[in-house]
Amino acid sequence: MTEQNKHLASIFHDLASMYRFLGGENPFRAIAYQKASQSIQALPKDIAYYITEDSLKEIPGIGTSLEKDIREFGEKGEIRRFERLKKRVPYGLMELMDIRGFGPQSLKSLHKKLHAESKEEVITALQDGSVSGLKGFGPKKVENMLRSLKLHKIIEDRMLLW
């Protein structure tokens, strides 16, 4: 996968997480961005090739709206929608969305009640017991969240040897 494809796929993955966090507005956007992220990761050629050849809609999961985002990324190297959403959601928490036990509702609650803005702040709150007074964060849930974080760290630290 090319660096440009990797970067665009990462942006789309983050957009999917942000839309899941925001919830009610449009749940289908989260699904669309996640599918587009996966499709871009699987592309055999650089995304610039598909822009130049005007064949973006041939990529699975790419419709009119996502095509505009990809073209904007190709022209400017960024996507305005992504930059706007980063200001609306606690972007530092988005990396937790992929970890089991850290769904949108849990993260919203931690952000709203404890003003957590980053992964480190959430970990600290879980470890020092700050979350114990929050509704839905019993001892078992906290234990499971810490276990999931530890497991995620182990998997993240592993390096594939091909």
Side-chain angles (χ1 to χ4, degrees):
M1 176 174 24
T2 68
E3 282 302 313
Q4 194 165 2
N5 289 10
K6 189 184 292 187
H7 184 57
L8 181 59
S10 174
I11 289 173
F12 278 7
H13 176 77
D14 288 348
L15 278 164
S17 294
M18 288 187 256
Y19 278 117
R20 282 193 352 243
F21 181 85
L22 291 172
E25 288 181 3
N26 192 346
F28 300 107
R29 280 189 184 227
I31 296 166
Y33 277 106
Q34 190 59 46
K35 285 182 182 178
S37 173
Q38 292 166 349
S39 292
I40 290 165
Q41 287 177 3
L43 289 176
K45 297 179 181 171
D46 190 80
I47 195 67
Y49 168 82
Y50 298 94
I51 294 170
T52 307
E53 293 296 313
D54 202 28
S55 59
L56 288 171
K57 287 192 179 174
E58 293 173 16
I59 301 170
I62 304 297
T64 307
S65 178
L66 293 174
E67 180 183 13
K68 288 177 186 173
D69 287 345
I70 294 170
R71 288 190 185 285
E72 181 180 0
F73 176 79
E75 292 170 12
K76 300 177 183 174
E78 67 178 21
I79 300 171
R80 282 178 299 189
R81 177 191 317 261
F82 178 59
E83 298 304 321
R84 280 193 315 265
L85 278 177
K86 278 175 40 175
K87 294 174 184 166
R88 284 184 58 197
V89 302
Y91 185 67
L93 298 179
M94 293 303 104
E95 66 181 298
L96 292 171
M97 292 281 280
D98 294 330
I99 301 173
R100 186 179 175 164
F102 290 88
Q105 296 306 324
S106 296
L107 291 175
K108 277 184 192 178
S109 181
L110 291 169
H111 175 64
K112 194 178 233 178
K113 307 277 189 206
L114 301 178
H115 309 289
E117 295 281 335
S118 69
K119 178 181 178 180
E120 292 75 25
E121 290 176 3
V122 170
I123 292 170
T124 301
L126 290 169
Q127 291 174 337
D128 71 10
S130 301
V131 298
S132 62
L134 300 178
K135 183 179 177 185
F137 287 89
K140 188 70 174 169
K141 171 139 177 139
V142 171
E143 180 185 327
N144 288 338
M145 291 172 93
L146 287 169
R147 187 179 306 120
S148 291
L149 280 166
K150 189 174 185 179
L151 181 62
H152 183 73
K153 174 90 171 107
I154 290 169
I155 291 169
E156 216 174 50
D157 289 344
R158 288 186 181 168
M159 180 174 56
L160 292 176
L161 301 174
W162 292 93

